[in-house]
Amino acid sequence: MSLTPAFLDELRARTTLSALIGRSVKITRAGREYKACCPFHNEKTPSFTINDEKGFYHCFGCGAHGDAIRWMTEHDGLPFIDAVKELAQAAGLDMPEADPRAAQRAERAKGLHEVMADASKFYTEQLHGIAGAEARALLERRRVTAETARTFGMGYAPDSRTKLREALKSYGDAMLVEAGLLIQVEGKEPYDRFRGRLMIPIKDARGRVIGFGGRIIGEGEPKYLNSPETPLFDKGRSLYNLDRASAASRKANRVIAVEGYMDVIALAQAGFGEAVAPLGTAMTEHQLERLWRMADIPYLSFDGDNAGQKAAIRAAHRALPLLQPGRSLAFVTLPPGQDPDDLVRASGPQAFEALLASAQPLADRLWQHELAAEPVDTPEARAGLKRRLSDLAATIQDGNVRHEYINEFRRRVDEHFAPAPRAFTPRTQSRGPFKPGQRWQPPEPPPGPALQAVGAGGIDRVLAKAVLAGLIRHPAEIARHVETLTSLAHADGALGRLFEAVVDVALEDRALDTARLRTILAASGFDSQAAELLRADQLPFTFTQKEWDAGRAALDLGEAIAVLAARPQVEAALAEATAAVQARFSDEAFERQVALVRRKAELEMRLANLMLADET
């Protein structure tokens, strides 16, 4: 088996080093990198860093340094070939087959890099010769300076079927065809693929030419012509200007994805060197992963026309399953009919910078698109909107992010369709006696002794046990409801002490899982109580069961916590109102009692809606 440099480069590119190391070492985010206590020597202060973009780890304490393969060999103790096999399987790469001709293929790939470099030189020479006058005039009209053209290696393909073939004939037709520079038609002589076009070399992350984009000089179709798929060039995995934008993005702490080559070039000339572009295809998952290695929230700035906005929403949908905490997208909306090139030429860099500053978060773009997709003036249409938003959120693989999107979309739907508040007319005279048929809203009285005593007990013990079981199964939810849970910790007895212990543990360690939480509770003397609660699968709630979806369980758990905290207060207030009515009947006291009865019934209904149906 021969592992070529190209195969190993692709393997490293497809492996997210922080995710690999994070499987066995606790890592934390530190700006653009991750840090940890070095696994190769004992230390208390983290000096071990992981850089996903550069693809290596380094310890400033002991000097350990390497890439994903070296991590597998030095940390996991695997032989080199086993490490490569395991990484290849995780990355979805097929191992090269045992083939005595593998070395020849590796040498051939090296030859392809050389032929692409020579082709780029040929096109550059043609741009600055007599034949390139029209191409130079096009660059002048587009206000591309000679320095920018030189920086990006721009060139010109003569309007001839044989000029490139003749210039690179030493490589042979077969290699030129394989590199995508010639077109081979059965029964005919091969001929130049690019003719009469402004040529823009496409480079890999290491700055090697792997393909070309050719823009037509005058009128005609297609306007842009890309290299075909070759052993060097994979459109769906490549990004134009990746080699230069990687360094620029580290300085700017951002990356901007635009639609085309000229947009990238215009932005770079205007000072935005961190711009990249897909290569004539919709943004792919692999390209999104590349962007996230450069910045947590890449900017997508596609054209302001319908095609550009459709491309933006397609990218949004493709990104959803890949979202992680802190990792998202932002969308830059350009004026109608303009692209970034048009904007910076017409209004200057400051206009584009202003658009970046007001970029639209991913959740906003999805909400805006779905709200505008269909009319929502009927109950059925509103239900359709809710279903579409729910379906989008369900595609998110990360449970925490999915839960947040479900909550966010629910909140937006509720706010958008909430009835308008009634106008309030202040009273100009004192309140008279209550009249039949008059709508009356009782004022909120100060808390009486019963309400003040709620913190000392009165919670529903069955529901409290269910909530505790849910918190142990879903520890990430503790931090979301810490204020409410802290108030429950004042309840009398073992339940109150267990609530207090759970909250304290969560505040100490935000990265809890069920096993770790149980271990800590056991050390505090709550082992038997926690074990009993986890046997509470007979409690009829999603969050006490093992098999329920984490997102649905988290939503139901939040609702149960709200009901658990509200019921004692409502019951105490109702007891006070009932006592007031019995002591001295008045219309106001009676209305307050009725309102609280309704509030209690509403809480009971909310709780009933959480209970799972008995299927036995």
Side-chain angles (χ1 to χ4, degrees):
M1 182 182 301
S2 177
L3 300 177
T4 66
F7 174 81
L8 295 177
D9 284 347
E10 180 66 15
L11 182 61
R12 296 182 185 102
R14 291 200 195 186
T15 302
T16 302
L17 189 58
S18 61
L20 175 66
I21 296 176
R23 292 189 334 216
S24 54
V25 176
K26 183 177 180 180
I27 64 176
T28 56
R29 188 84 181 196
R32 299 293 299 276
E33 298 181 335
Y34 292 85
K35 65 180 181 180
C37 289
C38 181
F40 297 105
H41 78 287
N42 294 325
E43 63 175 2
K44 295 183 179 179
T45 302
S47 61
F48 184 82
T49 62
I50 307 162
N51 189 312
D52 281 335
E53 185 180 339
K54 297 179 180 178
F56 67 73
Y57 61 83
H58 181 79
C59 178
F60 291 94
C62 68
H65 183 93
D67 57 13
I69 300 172
R70 190 159 187 173
W71 171 262
M72 299 290 282
T73 59
E74 294 197 352
H75 180 267
D76 293 356
L78 295 178
F80 176 82
I81 194 65
D82 290 344
V84 172
K85 286 179 179 179
E86 186 168 327
L87 290 173
Q89 183 178 11
L93 275 176
D94 293 329
M95 289 289 290
E97 297 180 4
D99 186 350
R101 293 171 297 179
Q104 296 176 5
R105 289 199 301 270
E107 189 65 28
R108 190 169 187 82
K110 180 181 176 182
L112 288 175
H113 281 298
E114 292 173 351
V115 73
M116 296 301 280
D118 283 348
S120 183
K121 290 177 185 176
F122 169 79
Y123 291 139
T124 301
E125 291 169 358
Q126 295 298 308
L127 175 66
H128 298 292
I130 297 174
E134 284 189 275
R136 295 195 300 273
L138 172 63
L139 291 176
E140 289 177 10
R141 290 196 300 273
R142 298 296 296 257
R143 300 182 188 177
V144 177
T145 67
E147 181 182 355
T148 299
R150 203 163 36 248
T151 298
F152 283 90
M154 301 175 79
Y156 172 68
D159 193 6
S160 164
R161 296 170 66 90
T162 60
K163 282 288 181 68
L164 178 72
R165 183 188 178 198
E166 292 170 357
L168 303 183
K169 62 183 179 181
S170 62
Y171 288 101
D173 288 347
M175 181 167 284
L176 295 176
V177 170
E178 188 176 13
L181 297 171
L182 298 185
I183 295 177
Q184 175 75 67
V185 178
E186 188 175 354
K188 295 183 179 180
E189 288 288 311
Y191 58 92
D192 293 1
R193 178 179 297 275
F194 299 101
R195 305 180 303 281
R197 291 180 178 269
L198 178 70
M199 297 300 291
I200 304 168
I202 303 164
K203 299 180 180 180
D204 63 12
R206 295 167 59 180
R208 299 174 299 184
V209 178
I210 57 175
F212 291 96
R215 187 192 190 282
I216 198 162
I217 302 297
E219 298 297 323
E221 292 294 336
K223 185 176 181 181
Y224 284 96
L225 178 65
N226 287 327
S227 289
E229 298 279 331
T230 72
L232 300 182
F233 183 48
D234 184 337
K235 292 180 184 179
R237 293 182 179 275
S238 304
L239 287 168
Y240 177 65
N241 197 42
L242 180 63
D243 57 317
R244 299 181 70 254
S246 294
S249 69
R250 286 193 292 272
K251 294 180 181 179
N253 198 30
R254 68 187 182 195
V255 62
I256 306 163
V258 293
E259 278 199 63
Y261 312 107
M262 298 307 293
D263 295 324
V264 169
I265 293 167
L267 286 177
Q269 186 169 280
F272 300 93
E274 64 274 20
V276 297
L279 298 157
T281 62
M283 187 72 72
T284 67
E285 291 83 356
H286 298 293
Q287 290 167 333
L288 288 168
E289 291 287 357
R290 285 273 190 180
L291 293 175
W292 277 318
R293 290 184 188 180
M294 301 164 73
D296 287 336
I297 306 180
Y299 292 87
L300 266 57
S301 179
F302 293 164
D303 294 354
D305 57 16
N306 287 336
Q309 294 312 296
K310 287 180 180 179
I313 201 65
R314 282 198 300 270
H317 288 172
R318 284 193 168 177
L320 278 174
L322 309 174
L323 297 182
Q324 294 178 8
R327 190 167 89 168
S328 188
L329 294 175
F331 294 83
V332 177
T333 303
L334 294 161
Q338 285 194 326
D339 57 27
D341 184 15
D342 298 326
L343 183 66
V344 296
R345 284 195 287 122
S347 306
Q350 65 277 5
F352 190 71
E353 191 69 61
L355 289 179
L356 292 174
S358 59
Q360 188 179 36
L362 174 59
D364 289 0
R365 174 56 61 100
L366 293 168
W367 164 258
Q368 181 185 70
H369 179 264
E370 294 303 329
L371 189 62
E374 297 178 10
V376 288
D377 50 359
T378 67
E380 296 82 1
R382 290 191 289 274
L385 171 65
K386 291 180 182 179
R387 186 196 64 221
R388 294 195 304 275
L389 292 170
S390 177
D391 289 345
L392 286 174
T395 65
I396 301 173
Q397 295 179 3
D398 185 277
N400 288 332
V401 179
R402 182 173 62 251
H403 171 69
E404 292 297 335
Y405 265 80
I406 291 171
N407 278 346
E408 178 67 14
F409 287 152
R410 283 185 178 177
R411 181 188 65 78
R412 293 187 185 219
V413 168
D414 291 343
E415 288 183 358
H416 188 78
F417 296 111
R422 294 189 176 187
F424 172 72
T425 304
R427 293 182 179 273
T428 57
Q429 59 185 19
S430 60
R431 184 191 301 271
F434 179 73
K435 299 177 182 179
Q438 176 181 346
R439 183 174 181 81
W440 180 82
Q441 294 293 331
E444 198 68 35
L451 274 175
Q452 294 173 356
V454 166
I459 64 173
D460 182 330
R461 295 183 65 81
V462 174
L463 181 56
K465 288 182 178 180
V467 166
L468 280 166
L471 293 173
I472 294 172
R473 290 202 185 279
H474 307 280
E477 299 306 305
I478 299 173
R480 302 182 197 278
H481 307 285
V482 67
E483 292 184 8
T484 305
L485 295 173
T486 301
S487 69
L488 295 174
H490 297 296
D492 281 342
L495 285 179
R497 291 194 297 274
L498 188 51
F499 270 115
E500 185 176 12
V502 165
V503 171
D504 288 345
V505 170
L507 291 177
E508 288 291 329
D509 186 355
R510 296 299 179 95
L512 282 174
D513 57 20
T514 299
R516 179 165 171 74
L517 177 58
R518 285 201 61 187
T519 299
I520 299 174
L521 290 177
S524 303
F526 291 100
D527 188 33
S528 61
Q529 291 94 327
E532 179 186 352
L533 290 171
L534 288 180
R535 287 196 298 269
D537 284 354
Q538 66 270 23
L539 293 172
F541 301 101
T542 57
F543 48 83
T544 63
Q545 316 294 311
K546 292 181 180 179
E547 67 275 7
W548 276 88
D549 172 73
R552 164 73 187 279
L555 290 174
D556 288 357
L557 178 57
E559 177 78 346
I561 292 171
V563 172
L564 178 64
R567 281 176 70 182
Q569 297 181 16
V570 171
E571 289 172 355
L574 178 57
E576 281 192 354
T578 301
V581 168
Q582 292 172 348
R584 184 174 180 180
F585 181 86
S586 69
D587 291 328
E588 291 186 9
F590 178 70
E591 284 291 327
R592 174 164 175 74
Q593 182 189 38
V594 170
L596 288 167
V597 168
R598 289 173 179 164
R599 174 67 174 145
K600 181 180 178 182
E602 176 194 340
L603 290 175
E604 297 296 337
M605 181 60 70
R606 287 169 64 183
L607 181 60
N609 287 337
L610 292 176
M611 293 184 178
L612 299 172
D614 186 0
E615 298 179 358
T616 59

